[in-house]
Amino acid sequence: MQFRIDVDKDWVVNITNLQTQALVVDSNGKAFERTLGKVGENLNLFPQPPDHEAQKIPNTADNPHFELCTTKDAAVIAAAYQKLLRREADEVVKFGRYLFATLLGDELWQTLNDVAKTEPIELALNWKKDDFHINRLPWEMMHSKDDFLAAEPEVAITRRVAGTKQTLARIAAPRVLFVVGSDLAKDDRIKPGAEYLGLLRSLKPTAKLRLKTHLLLQASPQRLKAAIKWFKPTVVHFICHGFPNPDQETFLQLMADNGGGTEAVNADNLLKLLKPDPTMELPQIVILNACYTAVDNVDLYMKSGQVASPMAVKLVAGDDQSPGVPIVLGMAGEVADQACRLFTRCFYQAILDGGEIAQAASAGRRLGILEVGLTDPKSSIDWALPTLFMSAGVTEPKLQIVTNPNEEEWHAVATQFAPRPDYPAFCDRLGLFEWYDCLMASKPDDLPTPQQHIGDLQLLAVSVDGKEKKDNVNEKLGRTWLLRQFASTASLDGHVPVLNSLEWIERDPGKYPTDLPQLIADFRTAMNITANEFKLTFSAETLDLVANDPTKLPAEFKNAFAEGKSWDSPPVMFAALRIDLLRLLEIARKKQEPPKPVGPVPAEAKEEEEEKRALPKLLLLVDDVHQMDKASKLLLQFFSSPYGLRSNTPSSEKGPNARDDIRVVCTYDMSLGLGEEATITAWLDKAKGAREVPLRAFQQPEDRLAYEFFLSQWKDVANNPKPLAVDRKAPAPIVEWFFDELKLTVNGIPSLLKSKDAFRVIGGNLRMPTPPGPVLRPMNDEDLIRLIPLMKRGM
């Protein structure tokens, strides 16, 4: 049951039952109308309970909020508020009791409970967008005489922006654009927000869809606009530094367009960036991870409160040109705080499943502050910092997802391609995933990278340098893992991955193809596996004709035969393999409808080039090219030959062609001496449309993200899931010592995270005696999430 709590410009509070559209009344049948008290002026102006209620608060030890509710010295409240701004949590209960007594009070809260009975409660706080004295306060930490409201089953606290009317639209599969406003390799202060990227891998949708994601690193205003136009996201998740200026206007910090320094972006400018074309719709949801830690100059924050809050209000309010974003989530906590982590997981899970967002997110917050959780709500404030802002027109905060059976099938296949979930983290490969996005764009200029590739981009060669390895040639940096993650991502994006790795096509370990027939056979197997996974009726007919009846081949094969002098020569086999790959893609395209853009489609989007951009591509992934002996040279010829993948001859009259519609990622190891890998390097120097990108050992400070994600997926020696998290009570120097020890043990090599030495380091710090106590604690997220169905009002 939704109750709207209106606070007007004079701080008169009215409460409306939105189910009946009637004012809530007291036991005498009179509508509750509470006029809040005021103490102080300017930035030191704070609300207090109505005088007649404040006078009834006993001045006893079990009423720590007495002073804040009755003082006539605003500096007393300001001092407590400043502690919260500094993230000092010694007065969380005291301030929470003050907020509750001010806005609700015991009598009104009891009445709301009586009216709702066993139904869920949503407190929709509704006040003017420019009332910063009210907006800045952390109402999410309201504490009744019994407990924090956030700890009560099925009680959600949301904020509505008065006067706004926009609602949520019907969408296809949710698309999330992550916008990182700095260089992760150089700025570890952004780490609290970047952790959310790894967190999403743990989502387990109850529906058949998964989140489609795109990552924009070192985001500048122009690059953000390009990504919005290209990706058309449902959700934009900013992971940026945030700050206010002396005029109390808040900003997000992006990279400057010219490549030097940074650029501050306010809410008005951000709205324009989120809607780069007037014909486009704004994203349905914006998440603001305006990261900052405790601040020294709290005076700058006295008006704004958390950086994200005033910006969120403006984004929902919109501007003179158009309505704003329907839902904005302001974040400031860390994933290391279990309450923030669970809040975010449940929030995204609700988006993915089309569930009720407000109650789901509140359930996540509640799980994190249970007594069995890792977060103590009385000694931390991070759990209270996620703040959910909505348009007043959003009566039911739920995305309506229009499912497509074919899209669901593609998403199911993505799960099959995905690497093992316990393998080291996605987080350490962010730059490579940005290159993947650039590769899959129809035109690289549509989605420029920080290392912008000039000209066409058809092939990424992921190289491993021997210098990255330390002692053992069997140490692995994750080449195969990366290809499988690319294949999974491509499937989610609606593309058609064909993965040629020994593990995937189930060839004996070490049995790489060494000649052309073996190479073709492996590709045939990989194509058949893809066809089976996507339930496509396909056979390699062109390759069959080469082997059985070449006289029936298309006319173009005459030129290939003339160059190769035989029907089993490389030019002929290349042409046949290319045509079969294109046939596979064409069959997949006929089965899968092109992705439909969300919102109105501009006229220019119907032009041929824009339509082509939406069509699936075929992504060919080839592992360990350096191991293929003579076949590696043949493979490189196939990549660059006009009979192979550089051909722009279409498969049919309006079918795809290789140069535009087939993309390639291959991996090779430079650590084995001057063998075939030297040939690959020389070929890359001259090849058109190709780019080498290095795969390195974990780099600081991003390696910490990888280690923490690995701990969250940890299994004991018997392979039983035992997820771990850093114990928030452990002294910071001890935590740093543990991670330094883990770094020395692993040496940045992902495969060593599963070594006996790493197990010894991790297990030892689980059992560290007191003092200083263990660095790690069991991460009981999954156990807690299973409690959600049991957390009902009245139970």
Side-chain angles (χ1 to χ4, degrees):
M1 183 171 289
Q2 290 178 312
F3 297 101
R4 190 183 67 221
I5 301 177
D6 296 289
V7 181
D8 68 15
K9 60 182 179 62
D10 297 318
W11 289 2
V12 176
V13 181
N14 287 285
I15 300 89
T16 303
N17 181 340
L18 293 182
Q19 185 170 313
T20 63
Q21 294 297 315
L23 293 175
V24 175
V25 297
D26 60 21
S27 57
N28 297 317
K30 183 180 179 182
F32 278 97
E33 182 176 282
R34 309 175 72 249
T35 301
L36 304 185
K38 297 182 180 181
V39 59
E41 58 184 1
N42 300 326
L43 294 182
N44 272 2
L45 179 62
F46 290 94
Q48 289 182 315
D51 287 342
H52 68 280
E53 293 185 17
Q55 293 171 6
K56 295 179 182 179
I57 299 174
N59 184 10
T60 58
D62 57 352
N63 290 285
H65 59 306
F66 170 81
E67 182 182 27
L68 298 182
C69 293
T70 58
T71 183
K72 299 306 177 185
D73 183 359
V76 174
I77 306 177
Y81 177 53
Q82 288 173 345
K83 286 189 175 183
L84 298 180
L85 293 176
R86 293 192 183 97
R87 308 283 273 274
E88 298 174 15
D90 55 332
E91 295 188 340
V92 172
V93 173
K94 176 180 179 180
F95 207 83
R97 293 285 300 273
Y98 151 72
L99 292 172
F100 173 84
T102 297
L103 190 63
L104 298 175
D106 294 334
E107 183 182 355
L108 173 56
W109 179 236
Q110 185 60 54
T111 299
L112 298 183
N113 276 280
D114 292 342
V115 171
K117 296 183 172 62
T118 60
E119 290 187 44
I121 290 177
E122 180 192 338
L123 301 177
L125 313 184
N126 188 59
W127 38 63
K128 303 297 182 183
K129 65 181 181 180
D130 55 356
D131 191 348
F132 68 84
H133 293 105
I134 294 290
N135 275 319
R136 63 180 174 174
L137 296 176
W139 301 101
E140 289 68 21
M141 66 168 58
M142 283 192 290
H143 189 300
S144 70
K145 61 183 179 181
D146 301 315
D147 204 346
F148 293 103
L149 297 194
E152 301 230 2
E154 295 190 313
V155 174
I157 301 173
T158 61
R159 305 197 189 197
R160 298 303 202 277
V161 179
T164 53
K165 299 179 180 179
Q166 64 270 28
T167 60
L168 291 169
R170 291 165 61 87
I171 63 166
R175 307 164 72 87
V176 183
L177 173 64
F178 287 100
V179 181
V180 179
S182 67
D183 186 346
L184 285 173
K186 298 177 181 178
D187 186 358
D188 62 351
R189 293 176 300 165
I190 206 74
K191 172 182 166 292
E195 291 167 321
Y196 287 93
L197 296 170
L199 176 65
L200 289 192
R201 288 191 64 216
S202 62
L203 289 182
K204 298 174 181 176
T206 55
K208 295 180 180 180
L209 294 178
R210 294 172 60 191
L211 291 174
K212 293 185 178 184
T213 62
H214 170 61
L215 173 67
L216 185 65
L217 289 173
Q218 300 182 47
S220 69
Q222 289 301 322
R223 297 189 66 240
L224 175 58
K225 288 171 64 176
I228 294 284
K229 292 181 71 173
W230 175 77
F231 189 62
K232 299 180 177 66
T234 312
V235 181
V236 181
H237 189 143
F238 287 93
I239 301 170
C240 305
H241 291 300
F243 59 91
N245 65 9
D247 295 326
Q248 281 79 46
E249 184 177 20
T250 57
F251 299 85
L252 291 183
Q253 182 176 291
L254 301 179
M255 304 297 289
D257 283 323
N258 61 12
T262 61
E263 183 168 334
V265 177
N266 63 16
D268 293 334
N269 291 331
L270 192 58
L271 276 170
K272 294 182 176 65
L273 296 176
L274 292 171
K275 190 176 180 178
D277 188 312
T279 60
M280 293 180 65
E281 296 292 320
L282 283 166
Q284 296 292 292
I285 299 172
V286 170
I287 300 174
L288 301 172
N289 263 112
C291 307
Y292 78 103
T293 54
V295 291
D296 294 325
N297 187 4
V298 295
D299 289 341
L300 288 179
Y301 294 83
M302 283 296 290
K303 178 177 179 180
S304 64
Q306 301 299 327
V307 169
S309 295
M311 181 168 282
V313 171
K314 289 188 176 182
L315 290 180
V316 174
D319 54 28
D320 295 337
Q321 305 299 318
S322 66
V325 179
I327 297 179
V328 180
L329 173 61
M331 301 283 290
E334 300 185 25
V335 170
D337 184 278
Q338 188 179 42
C340 290
R341 183 171 65 248
L342 289 166
F343 181 96
T344 307
R345 277 192 59 174
C346 291
F347 181 86
Y348 269 113
Q349 194 76 57
I351 291 174
L352 183 57
D353 295 339
E356 210 280 355
I357 293 172
Q359 286 292 346
S362 295
R365 193 198 313 258
R366 188 170 306 116
L367 290 172
I369 58 177
L370 291 174
E371 289 185 3
V372 293
L374 304 182
T375 299
D376 179 2
K378 297 179 181 179
S379 60
S380 166
I381 68 167
D382 279 6
W383 63 270
L385 298 183
T387 307
L388 194 55
F389 295 85
M390 301 184 191
S391 161
V394 178
T395 56
E396 185 179 24
K398 180 187 296 186
L399 285 176
Q400 300 179 55
I401 298 176
V402 181
T403 58
N404 179 324
N406 290 332
E407 189 170 33
E408 290 178 350
E409 192 168 298
W410 251 250
H411 284 218
V413 175
T415 303
Q416 301 302 316
F417 276 111
R420 299 183 305 274
D422 60 338
Y423 198 80
F426 162 81
C427 289
D428 68 296
R429 306 304 185 212
L430 297 183
L432 289 170
F433 275 82
E434 191 175 36
W435 274 113
Y436 161 85
D437 286 325
C438 187
L439 177 72
M440 300 309 291
S442 287
K443 296 184 296 183
D445 289 345
D446 292 335
L447 195 62
T449 68
Q451 314 91 343
Q452 186 171 350
H453 183 91
I454 305 301
D456 70 311
L457 181 60
Q458 189 179 12
L459 180 145
L460 290 180
V462 180
S463 64
V464 172
D465 190 338
K467 295 177 182 178
E468 295 291 334
K469 297 184 177 182
K470 309 301 179 183
D471 302 312
N472 189 337
V473 294
N474 292 320
E475 295 170 355
K476 299 177 181 179
L477 296 179
R479 295 192 308 270
T480 303
W481 177 91
L482 184 69
L483 288 190
R484 291 195 63 167
Q485 191 67 56
F486 279 171
S488 178
T489 304
S491 184
L492 278 179
D493 292 342
H495 301 301
V496 184
V498 175
L499 176 58
N500 188 349
S501 72
L502 295 187
E503 174 193 68
W504 185 249
I505 65 174
E506 297 184 344
R507 278 191 63 151
D508 294 337
K511 297 294 184 180
Y512 293 92
T514 58
D515 57 24
L516 185 58
Q518 290 178 330
L519 185 65
I520 296 297
D522 282 1
F523 276 119
R524 183 192 289 266
T525 301
M527 286 189 290
N528 287 336
I529 291 174
T530 292
N532 289 335
E533 292 287 351
F534 289 108
K535 299 180 176 61
L536 305 174
T537 303
F538 166 83
S539 63
E541 295 176 359
T542 315
L543 287 170
D544 290 341
L545 285 176
V546 171
N548 300 315
D549 193 355
T551 61
K552 294 183 179 180
L553 289 167
E556 66 178 284
F557 279 82
K558 293 180 179 179
N559 292 334
F561 177 82
E563 180 166 326
K565 310 303 182 186
S566 68
W567 288 113
D568 60 355
S569 64
V572 174
M573 300 304 288
F574 292 163
L577 177 58
R578 167 178 55 83
I579 289 177
D580 280 339
L581 287 168
L582 290 173
R583 285 186 56 254
L584 177 61
L585 176 59
E586 195 164 11
I587 291 169
R589 284 182 173 182
K590 288 178 180 178
K591 180 176 181 180
Q592 183 196 39
E593 295 178 2
K596 296 179 181 179
V598 177
V601 180
E604 39 295 359
K606 297 178 181 178
E607 296 178 0
E608 181 179 352
E609 185 62 33
E610 292 295 324
E611 288 182 353
K612 190 173 186 178
R613 183 180 305 179
L615 290 173
K617 293 180 175 60
L618 185 140
L619 178 62
L620 186 63
L621 303 120
V622 187
D623 202 10
D624 290 339
V625 176
H626 62 285
Q627 296 277 23
M628 296 181 182
D629 195 40
K630 295 178 182 178
S632 67
K633 297 184 179 69
L634 294 168
L635 189 61
L636 298 179
Q637 291 174 28
F638 173 60
F639 292 157
S640 57
S641 165
Y643 298 106
L645 298 188
R646 294 301 286 174
S647 169
N648 58 6
T649 302
S651 58
S652 59
E653 183 180 352
K654 293 185 178 181
N657 72 79
R659 186 180 295 185
D660 293 333
D661 298 296
I662 294 180
R663 298 289 187 263
V664 183
V665 181
C666 65
T667 69
Y668 72 102
D669 194 330
M670 302 166 62
S671 65
L672 302 181
L674 297 176
E676 298 304 328
E677 67 278 5
T679 304
I680 299 168
T681 302
W683 175 82
L684 283 167
D685 288 339
K686 300 177 182 179
K688 295 181 179 179
R691 176 86 185 214
E692 179 188 2
V693 289
L695 177 66
R696 298 191 171 97
F698 295 145
Q699 305 292 307
Q700 293 183 335
E702 205 175 358
D703 58 347
R704 174 74 174 264
L705 301 180
Y707 299 144
E708 290 189 5
F709 183 80
F710 177 73
L711 290 171
S712 74
Q713 306 293 315
W714 198 60
K715 296 182 179 181
D716 63 18
V717 291
N719 211 35
N720 298 312
K722 299 289 184 182
L724 302 172
V726 174
D727 190 334
R728 301 274 296 196
K729 297 179 182 178
I734 303 299
V735 174
E736 291 302 316
W737 167 81
F738 162 72
F739 281 106
D740 287 343
E741 186 179 12
L742 189 58
K743 289 175 185 178
L744 290 172
T745 303
V746 173
N747 283 324
I749 306 295
S751 60
L752 292 186
L753 278 168
K754 303 194 75 175
S755 67
K756 291 181 180 179
D757 290 337
F759 268 64
R760 193 157 40 246
V761 172
I762 293 169
N765 285 285
L766 268 170
R767 298 184 296 271
M768 188 179 292
T770 304
V775 173
L776 305 175
R777 287 188 60 180
M779 179 191 281
N780 56 344
D781 291 11
E782 299 302 328
D783 295 332
L784 290 171
I785 285 174
R786 283 191 283 269
L787 294 177
I788 288 180
L790 305 177
M791 299 170 62
K792 303 294 184 182
R793 283 177 52 78
M795 292 183 63

